Amino acid sequence: MGTLLLLTRHAPWAACLLLGVALLWWQPARKISAGLVLLAYLGLCLETWRRQRGKHRQATPVGNGLLIAYASQSGQALHIARDSSTQLQAAGIDTGVLSLEQLAPEQLRQYRQALFIVSTYGEGEAPDNAARFERQLQARLHELNDLQYAVLALGDSQYPHFCAFGRRLDELLRAQGALPLFDRLEADRCDAGTLRHWQQQLGHIAGSQDFSDWQHPDYQNWTLAGRVCLNPGSAGAPLYLLTLQAQHGHWQAGDIAEVGPRHAAEEVQALLRRLGHDPRLLLENGESLAQALANRRFPDDESSLYGLPPEALPGHLEYLPHREYSIASVPADGHLQLLVRQVRRHDGHLGLGSGWLCRHAPLGGEIALRIRSNPGFHGPAATTPLILIGNGSGLAGLRAHLRERLHGQGSYNWLLFGERNRAHDFICRQELSAWLQSGHLQRLDLAFSRDQPERRYVQHVLRDNADELRRWLAEGAAIYLCGSLEGMGREVQQILAGLLGEAQLQDLESQGRYRRDLY
């Protein structure tokens, strides 16, 4: 009887089978048989309830954490949601994954941040498992002022209602007070570049860029032709202008350079010597062992590498994650330029991407680089007045637009830019001053935050020129914002909402007249 009770609790189906055999062999009185059958049945019901309750607990994320909600017909959104959760959890972020079918809009008030990965179905409709959620979200105001969110919309541009549900969801969340973490991303047939950009944004949310690309970029080899520090003597981190050249390469203002970083040569050699291997050992593909490991992730615990033959090391280690930089030039310049801030981590080491580009990569050496189209930040018509707002290395994306518009007729441009000190951080001073003098820039408003006792940032310059902003917008101007998401990006968004109102700001965005490239 003890065995039967144990099986009833932990393996109810086995308990039922054992009970049936026992009854055939033993043939007890009818009342005893009925009691045993009832006991097994109750045990089966209890175990089924316990398992279902456990599944529900496992699927439901903890409130105040980060929610990842998905909706799709084919399961692609679920796959991306799970990959996103894995990346965030590896960085120490508590996440939970739910279908929109399992979610009610009022539950969103339990969370600090939410990511939505959603497909569009049929004629622009929500997938079946999200239709109820959309109806409820449309029905009334849910006051989601404390929620920060992001949307990854999946679609196929061959259909007329491309990403329609993702766009509606984004608008509904904004209308109910939620604050976007970054602009909506739209992945055309799960475009690999957009998914890599989504991964980069997850890295910003987690405060960690230590992840592996879901799909490794197909890099081309570019030559590092120049590297100049633009702010010597600055109180801030060094900012470099990098010039790269290749035989082929096409992009337009607003596009992104994805760079495959590498470890410093001395770091790779030191690791291999600790493992007892010769860095100069040639592999079958003609690379040296050191070259083959330069773009691979080193484990925190090197003991896992001891005992592996040298030929097996590259396949044992994942590729380093790519880094993204706004392109600061146009093809007509004859080269590709980047503005890169040299980052130093808390442990004193240089950042992976900036350390490679600004310090370790040799001049004349190869840089693994891939251009990613970024249509959400492509420029308007040359005759559209353009208000450009940015700070620090964010000047890169704005500079590309100004250089692109040099070749158009009737260009009308206003740049608002912020940095630390005029004496050391007025980057591209000669170029910007020449454009102002020639009339390519109608206005150049600068904010150097450390040049006076009270901090003054670019958002304050914008606020002080509210009447001029409204005049430009009344004449059809577009606003392009590039730079840091935290601080400048969020505060400019708040200033614009306060000066123009949320409704006008959303109208500008829907017309393509308010675009951002924030990181």
Side-chain angles (χ1 to χ4, degrees), residues 274-296:
R274 289 195 298 272
L275 297 175
H277 300 311
D278 182 357
R280 297 167 298 179
L281 177 69
L282 290 180
L283 303 178
E284 289 185 0
N285 62 0
E287 279 188 314
S288 70
L289 183 58
Q291 290 172 325
L293 295 193
N295 62 350
R296 302 284 178 156

Side-chain angles (χ1 to χ4, degrees), residues 104-424:
E106 54 268 20
Q107 291 176 266
L108 294 176
R109 289 199 288 266
Q110 301 173 19
Y111 300 97
R112 187 172 43 85
Q113 295 179 326
L115 308 178
F116 297 88
I117 302 166
V118 299
S119 298
T120 295
Y121 176 65
E123 298 298 315
E125 302 133 21
D128 292 342
N129 63 355
R132 178 190 59 84
F133 179 85
E134 184 181 17
R135 288 195 300 271
Q136 291 178 340
L137 195 59
Q138 291 170 330
R140 63 181 186 275
L141 191 66
H142 293 276
E143 296 183 0
L144 303 176
N145 300 40
D146 296 327
L147 179 69
Q148 296 179 326
Y149 77 96
V151 174
L152 173 62
L154 309 180
D156 187 336
S157 59
Q158 293 182 349
Y159 293 90
H161 303 285
F162 176 62
C163 290
F165 173 56
R167 293 173 181 177
R168 290 200 307 273
L169 178 62
D170 188 15
E171 292 172 0
L172 284 168
L173 290 167
R174 290 194 193 204
Q176 305 202 31
L179 180 68
L181 286 159
F182 48 86
D183 288 343
R184 178 184 67 248
L185 297 181
E186 297 180 349
D188 187 4
R189 286 169 284 184
C190 288
D191 169 63
T194 305
L195 295 185
R196 287 195 298 273
H197 187 40
W198 175 257
Q199 278 197 273
Q200 285 286 330
Q201 299 288 27
L202 296 181
H204 291 310
I205 292 171
S208 171
Q209 296 294 320
D210 187 23
F211 60 84
S212 298
D213 289 317
W214 299 334
Q215 296 173 294
H216 191 60
D218 180 19
Y219 297 118
Q220 292 81 45
N221 287 325
W222 292 63
T223 300
L224 180 58
R227 179 167 53 206
V228 178
C229 181
L230 297 179
N231 61 342
S234 173
L239 182 65
Y240 286 88
L241 174 66
L242 304 172
T243 301
L244 300 102
Q245 291 183 326
Q247 292 183 347
H248 303 286
H250 180 73
W251 67 95
Q252 64 184 93
D255 286 346
I256 301 296
E258 297 180 340
V259 173
R262 299 172 76 87
H263 296 291
E266 53 268 26
E267 291 181 20
V268 182
Q269 293 170 8
L271 171 66
L272 289 172
R273 290 193 181 101
R274 289 195 298 272
L275 297 175
H277 300 311
D278 182 357
R280 297 167 298 179
L281 177 69
L282 290 180
L283 303 178
E284 289 185 0
N285 62 0
E287 279 188 314
S288 70
L289 183 58
Q291 290 172 325
L293 295 193
N295 62 350
R296 302 284 178 156
R297 184 198 299 274
F298 296 165
D300 295 329
D301 181 8
E302 293 178 4
S303 63
S304 62
L305 304 181
Y306 285 95
L308 288 175
E311 298 82 1
L313 286 173
H316 185 76
L317 299 173
E318 296 177 331
Y319 286 105
L320 289 170
H322 76 281
R323 293 293 185 261
E324 296 188 348
Y325 302 96
S326 299
I327 299 176
S329 59
V330 291
D333 296 330
H335 49 246
L336 184 147
Q337 290 187 315
L338 307 174
L339 294 177
V340 179
R341 182 83 67 181
Q342 183 177 284
V343 176
R344 193 171 292 277
R345 302 195 300 253
H346 295 300
D347 61 5
H349 289 88
L350 292 176
L352 180 62
S354 66
W356 167 241
L357 290 172
C358 299
R359 179 71 64 84
H360 304 310
L363 284 175
E366 290 184 346
I367 300 294
L369 185 146
R370 180 184 188 276
I371 294 171
R372 175 173 64 78
S373 178
N374 186 25
F377 204 63
H378 286 170
T383 53
T384 300
L386 191 56
I387 304 169
L388 301 142
I389 307 170
N391 69 335
S393 61
L395 182 61
L398 307 180
R399 179 180 186 254
H401 280 293
L402 287 169
R403 295 195 69 81
E404 187 174 71
R405 289 163 72 86
L406 275 171
H407 306 286
Q409 297 294 323
S411 177
Y412 202 68
N413 308 297
W414 175 14
L415 174 63
L416 301 96
F417 177 70
E419 252 290 0
R420 287 174 176 261
N421 301 104
R422 179 183 288 268
H424 300 288

